[in-house]
Amino acid sequence: MDVVVRSAEMVTPRIKSFELTDPAGADLPAFEAGSHVDVTLPNGLVRSYTLLNDSRECNRYVIAVLREEAGGGGSAWVHESLNVGDVLSITEPENRFEIDEGGDHNILIAGGIGITPILSMAERFDELGIDFKLYYCTRNRAETAFAERIEQRFGGRHVLHHDEGIAEQSLDVVALLSDRQPGTHVYVCGPPGLIGAARNAAKEWPQGTVHFELFGAVHVAVKTENKPFDIHLKRRNVTL
């Protein structure tokens, strides 16, 4: 379907957000927290972008794009050439990073542009009155997208962690996830190192309580025993 760029804003020196709406002003297909759309850019590239706005909104989609200088050219084109008024072709929203609304406590960990699905999740938990705490890891305040929005809405239910690019100052996910309360789920999205650290720290957690999303085909090594495992193909409903 086609959408039009209604607004664009630089939210950090390297992240630009875009508001997408129906060209005729009609409602857009509903979406859930964690959903993404595939965008076909005018230069022929196809990229997936998470919807970061409140999932109750039906009049718009909001995406944010990190400019990757060493990427394949998609983010650079979006930053340089995508303007207000341009029309894009996108797929309907699809969710591969669903939240479990039955959890009693939720730990949300985001690193950099990984805030995009996590922010929508936090707003959904807030809407439902479900307990959560958001940990958002960035280099510094200037590179923290949507910081004011987070502070205004979530109050003491968030931590903005700035490491200044120093590994020793990274968020201590081992300490954060070492003492799991019953009914707790963890959601993590961001750089591979952050996801790997969180998965390792929570490797003894019950099945189905550790949720993560990788941007692209990135291998994340998890320290565990060499043992059989199942793969479930959701669309085909087949388990291997």
Side-chain angles (χ1 to χ4, degrees):
M1 60 184 180
D2 287 341
V3 292
V4 63
V5 179
R6 290 297 183 195
S7 65
E9 178 187 7
M10 293 298 302
V11 292
T12 77
R14 294 200 303 139
I15 298 177
K16 193 172 187 178
S17 71
F18 298 87
E19 180 185 24
L20 311 176
T21 62
D22 180 85
D27 285 346
L28 295 169
F31 70 97
E32 301 171 339
S35 297
H36 71 275
V37 294
D38 292 336
V39 179
T40 300
L41 302 176
N43 63 0
L45 296 175
V46 178
R47 294 292 185 267
S48 295
Y49 297 118
T50 301
L51 304 180
L52 62 90
N53 52 307
D54 192 315
S55 58
R56 292 174 293 179
E57 296 178 342
C58 57
N59 63 321
R60 65 175 189 158
Y61 296 151
V62 181
I63 62 174
V65 181
L66 170 68
R67 178 162 187 156
E68 296 277 10
E69 299 298 342
S75 66
W77 188 94
V78 168
H79 273 249
E80 295 172 2
S81 303
L82 186 60
N83 299 307
V84 173
D86 288 349
V87 175
L88 293 173
S89 176
I90 69 170
T91 62
E92 291 195 10
E94 181 178 357
N95 198 351
R96 299 175 189 166
F97 194 22
E98 299 174 353
I99 61 176
D100 185 338
E101 297 179 357
D104 297 322
H105 313 282
N106 299 278
I107 299 173
L108 310 178
I109 304 174
I113 193 62
I115 190 61
T116 51
I118 297 297
L119 182 53
S120 184
M121 291 177 175
E123 292 186 332
R124 177 60 176 168
F125 287 133
D126 181 53
E127 172 197 348
L128 296 174
I130 297 175
D131 182 65
F132 74 92
K133 190 153 189 177
L134 166 62
Y135 296 83
Y136 183 13
C137 307
T138 58
R139 183 181 292 265
N140 50 51
R141 175 77 182 200
E143 297 187 29
T144 305
F146 315 110
E148 292 184 359
R149 172 177 166 183
I150 291 169
E151 291 168 339
Q152 291 173 2
R153 178 152 184 180
F154 303 136
R157 294 172 294 173
H158 75 278
V159 172
L160 301 182
H161 182 90
H162 306 315
D163 61 19
E164 301 298 337
I166 302 171
E168 291 75 16
Q169 296 179 185
S170 298
L171 179 69
D172 188 348
V173 294
V174 174
L176 180 62
L177 303 178
S178 61
D179 185 17
R180 177 183 179 271
Q181 299 180 48
T184 299
H185 289 245
V186 60
Y187 299 81
V188 57
C189 186
L194 176 63
I195 296 175
R199 293 178 66 193
N200 282 322
K203 64 183 180 182
E204 303 299 332
W205 284 32
Q207 184 176 0
T209 61
V210 180
H211 314 262
F212 61 95
E213 182 174 56
L214 298 170
F215 291 135
V218 181
H219 173 70
V220 177
V222 177
K223 300 174 185 177
T224 185
E225 297 179 15
N226 183 17
K227 55 186 179 182
F229 59 93
D230 293 338
I231 297 176
H232 183 67
L233 306 182
K234 186 175 181 179
R235 292 181 182 176
R236 298 185 184 182
N237 196 26
V238 173
T239 300
L240 306 176

